Amino acid sequence: MPNEKITAGKGGERYVPYEERTGNESVVYFTRDLSEAGLRKVYEKVNGMMKGKVAVKLHTGEQHGPNIIPRNWVKELIESEPELKDASIVETNTYYEGDRYTTEQHLETIKVNGWTFCPVDIMDAEGTVKLPIKGGKWMKEMCHGKTMVDYDSMLVLTHFKGHTMGGFGGSNKNIGIGCADGRIGKKWIHAREGEDMWSIDMEELMERITESTKATIDFFGKNITYVNVMRNMSVSCDCEGIHAMPVVTPNVGILASTDILAVDQACVDLIYAMRPDENHDMVERIETRHGHRQLSYMKEMGMGNDRYILIDLDNDEKHIDQKTAVADLKPFVKGE
């Protein structure tokens, strides 16, 4: 699959301030209410195209992972929203050996972590399906879990956090890696033929993740929406489970949009709008992994806007700036 004559873009270590960006603005909804009610509030602003058979793409985590989105929040959302009453949580098996490497291991981990209140579909349990990547330079198609194409709509429900290789894990990482099957698609993203299984990193990795995401969002078209939960934001991904680095970044809130770039960019902007003592670890993780290339490449691929109007759902839907959204954050306290 790789074409070695292709080169990756640059600048993934540099944060681009809002005033330096150009183009149209999308809408991003924001609440500080980190609860079942807050999740429902933001979701209901972006759920207009959730129709038919709905897939809820969620990172269900390794066994006993401490930072995943609380199960009761997701249970309440699925059981209370009419269009989600028959929804399934969807996942794929992992590329690395662990608690979710095989379908049997994965289903046991699902049970241990309490995702038992609705159907859970391990999409690559019985095979794969390949979908085109329109405009991809590294790949022309992505190999997904077979049953992804059985769904009419997708809710991308993401725990926003850091990521060991991606810098940050937002909606783009959730579906770019999370919808690729465990043996073929994830290998195309992470490894060059004949090299180490983690041989791709920095800008090239960000671009491959993003190309994989584009295959998914092109498949669903308008029937896909995004919710990012900025809570328990370790610099480690939930795939590290109980071994994740301790959380030191304050909790922020929940954001939602029908624009994947806008919602991920807004989360990154809120990190950068924090005080240095609040955001140091997350900023360092994003920049040292060149994670900003996820955002710039999404824009180059025509996947959304990096400019947006931030709507404060806690204050009569006023338009607010990033500094206002993260004013007076409380230091992170485990268990709150």
Side-chain angles (χ1 to χ4, degrees):
M1 290 300 297
N3 184 336
E4 298 300 338
K5 296 180 181 178
I6 297 169
T7 58
K10 298 181 179 180
E13 77 284 6
R14 178 180 179 267
Y15 174 66
V16 178
Y18 197 95
E19 58 271 17
E20 294 183 20
R21 304 173 203 161
T22 59
N24 294 327
E25 290 181 320
S26 293
V27 173
V28 176
Y29 296 96
F30 170 68
T31 180
R32 300 163 189 80
D33 184 359
L34 284 160
S35 70
E36 298 99 320
L39 181 60
R40 287 186 62 187
K41 180 164 56 177
V42 294
Y43 167 74
E44 289 173 358
K45 290 294 183 180
V46 296
N47 67 342
M49 299 303 290
M50 292 294 97
K51 300 176 180 179
K53 188 176 181 181
V54 180
V56 180
K57 178 58 191 77
L58 186 73
H59 196 313
T60 54
E62 295 294 331
Q63 290 192 14
H64 307 293
N67 298 322
I68 54 178
I69 298 174
R71 272 78 62 185
N72 57 303
W73 295 13
V74 182
K75 182 177 187 290
E76 167 73 16
L77 181 72
I78 289 176
E79 293 180 350
S80 62
E81 300 294 332
E83 69 278 5
L84 300 181
K85 62 182 177 65
D86 296 318
S88 296
I89 292 172
V90 299
E91 278 272 39
T92 55
N93 292 318
T94 57
Y95 177 50
Y96 57 87
E97 294 191 26
D99 292 336
R100 298 181 297 135
Y101 185 66
T102 68
T103 299
E104 292 72 26
Q105 290 171 318
H106 205 155
L107 290 173
E108 177 61 24
T109 298
I110 292 288
K111 182 179 178 181
V112 167
N113 283 351
W115 304 107
T116 54
F117 49 81
C118 74
V120 178
D121 178 9
I122 309 302
M123 295 187 292
D124 57 343
E126 298 189 9
T128 63
V129 63
K130 293 176 182 176
L131 295 176
I133 300 171
K134 300 173 185 175
K137 68 178 183 181
W138 298 105
M139 303 171 290
K140 299 305 179 185
E141 61 183 5
M142 177 45 57
C143 193
H144 303 272
K146 180 180 179 180
T147 60
M148 190 178 81
V149 297
D150 295 340
Y151 294 91
D152 303 300
S153 306
M154 178 174 279
L155 164 60
V156 184
L157 179 54
T158 302
H159 172 219
F160 186 90
K161 67 280 181 186
H163 191 268
T164 303
M165 295 187 72
F168 70 91
S171 289
N172 187 45
K173 181 267 172 189
N174 188 4
I175 53 178
I177 296 178
C179 291
D181 82 287
R183 301 296 173 268
I184 303 171
K186 289 183 173 71
K187 184 176 181 180
W188 289 353
I189 294 169
H190 286 291
R192 298 184 186 90
E193 194 66 36
E195 295 187 25
D196 177 82
M197 68 183 293
W198 307 111
S199 55
I200 295 173
D201 61 2
M202 301 296 184
E203 279 85 356
E204 183 179 340
L205 176 62
M206 309 311 152
E207 292 175 3
R208 287 174 177 268
I209 292 170
T210 302
E211 289 188 9
S212 176
T213 292
K214 193 168 190 300
T216 295
I217 67 175
D218 283 349
F219 172 75
F220 285 105
K222 294 182 178 179
N223 301 108
I224 187 167
T225 200
Y226 312 93
V227 177
N228 285 359
V229 179
M230 298 185 75
R231 169 191 178 274
N232 286 41
M233 292 181 288
S234 170
V235 298
S236 304
C237 179
D238 293 331
C239 48
E240 296 184 51
I242 60 174
H243 304 293
M245 293 292 290
V247 177
V248 296
T249 306
N251 290 339
V252 175
I254 310 174
L255 294 86
S257 182
T258 56
D259 182 328
I260 187 172
L261 171 53
V263 75
D264 274 5
Q265 181 71 70
C267 289
V268 170
D269 288 341
L270 294 189
I271 295 294
Y272 275 78
M274 294 178 183
R275 301 191 313 263
D277 62 297
E278 296 173 324
N279 70 8
H280 175 270
D281 284 27
M282 282 289 289
V283 166
E284 180 180 57
R285 178 55 57 99
I286 294 169
E287 293 182 356
T288 57
R289 272 58 170 184
H290 294 209
H292 292 294
R293 185 58 180 153
Q294 289 189 54
L295 303 168
S296 61
Y297 198 52
M298 277 196 276
K299 188 169 184 177
E300 289 175 24
M301 294 281 285
M303 295 165 63
N305 300 312
D306 60 0
R307 301 176 73 245
Y308 53 87
I309 300 167
L310 191 61
I311 306 294
D312 187 347
L313 297 181
D314 304 329
N315 292 287
D316 301 318
E317 301 196 10
K318 293 179 180 178
H319 298 186
I320 58 170
D321 61 20
Q322 294 84 3
K323 285 287 187 183
T324 302
V326 297
D328 303 317
L329 295 178
K330 298 178 181 179
F332 177 80
V333 177
K334 187 176 180 179
E336 287 190 354

